Amino acid sequence: PKAVIGEVGLDGFHFNPDSGNLTTSMDKQISIFEAQMELAAQYQRPVSIHTVQCMGQMLASLTKLKKSKIGLPPKIYFHAFGGKVGTVDQLLALCGNKPGKTYFGFAPIINFRSPKTAEVVRKVGLERLVLETDHEDAAMVLSSMDKGIALIAEALNQSQEIVIEKTTQNALDLYGRST
């Protein structure tokens, strides 16, 4: 009864090498994503969203869901967020600007190659950040977490201890856990 929904979302990056088409059509992805989001909203569960190279479609789906009778889930987390600074404003306006409603994560293995990441982290702010790694190899998680903490601390001009404390609290709040 307290399960988190996710990771769900849209992926415009993975193609079938033989056909050149997306491995799952965008129309089908949107249909499934919207059904999953409706379940999360209906059962008042937080959701973790994956978006790769299809932010326009994601914004359109979220807009449609927000206008629907059931609306959006109570809390939304954008996993390994690769959007631009302006996209943060769009998502906050759409999904909820109050702290405790919309969160973002940045995975070192995915996001740290981009020069825009530190600027986007500053736009998001510490009150909306959750640490993540996106590593499948558990042996890589601690070093990746250290990289994430260091980048966030530097980008926000905060101590690593403050980053750890606040992102831990954010994760607990996102997932409905108490300290």
Side-chain angles (χ1 to χ4, degrees):
K2 297 200 182 225
V4 174
I5 308 297
E7 160 185 339
V8 300
L10 305 176
D11 194 314
F13 180 74
H14 291 94
F15 290 87
N16 180 316
D18 296 328
S19 69
N21 297 324
L22 284 170
T23 53
T24 303
S25 75
M26 189 55 64
D27 287 343
K28 187 169 189 165
Q29 289 185 57
I30 289 169
S31 174
I32 293 167
F33 171 70
E34 290 176 358
Q36 291 167 324
M37 291 291 284
E38 287 170 355
L39 282 172
Q42 177 183 346
Y43 291 103
Q44 292 293 289
R45 304 307 319 139
V47 65
S48 173
I49 295 180
H50 167 97
T51 307
V52 178
Q53 295 184 0
C54 54
M55 191 58 73
Q57 292 97 327
M58 176 60 67
L59 288 166
S61 283
L62 291 171
T63 299
K64 176 183 170 186
L65 289 161
K66 183 176 182 177
K67 291 178 180 177
S68 73
K69 181 179 175 184
I70 197 159
L72 292 170
K75 296 180 182 188
I76 297 174
Y77 169 60
F78 290 95
H79 150 72
F81 183 69
K84 299 175 184 172
V85 168
T87 308
V88 173
D89 288 327
Q90 291 176 291
L91 289 169
L92 291 174
L94 185 59
C95 299
N97 199 15
K98 293 180 183 175
K101 174 73 176 152
T102 307
Y103 296 89
F104 297 83
F106 298 88
I109 193 170
I110 296 170
N111 303 109
F112 288 14
R113 289 176 254 153
S114 172
K116 71 181 176 186
T117 300
E119 182 182 5
V120 178
V121 165
R122 284 190 289 277
K123 180 63 179 178
V124 167
L126 190 54
E127 69 277 0
R128 292 187 180 90
L129 284 172
V130 174
L131 290 175
E132 68 169 282
T133 69
D134 207 35
H135 273 291
E136 295 175 8
D137 181 354
M140 300 297 297
V141 170
L142 288 178
S143 66
S144 189
M145 290 295 269
D146 288 341
K147 289 177 186 172
I149 293 163
L151 182 132
I152 291 167
E154 183 177 336
L156 298 176
N157 196 27
Q158 295 285 336
S159 71
Q160 290 190 11
E161 292 76 19
I162 296 228
V163 169
I164 292 166
E165 182 181 310
K166 184 59 180 159
T167 56
T168 298
Q169 187 58 56
N170 291 347
L172 292 169
D173 291 345
L174 169 62
Y175 297 119
R177 306 286 183 211
S178 58
T179 54

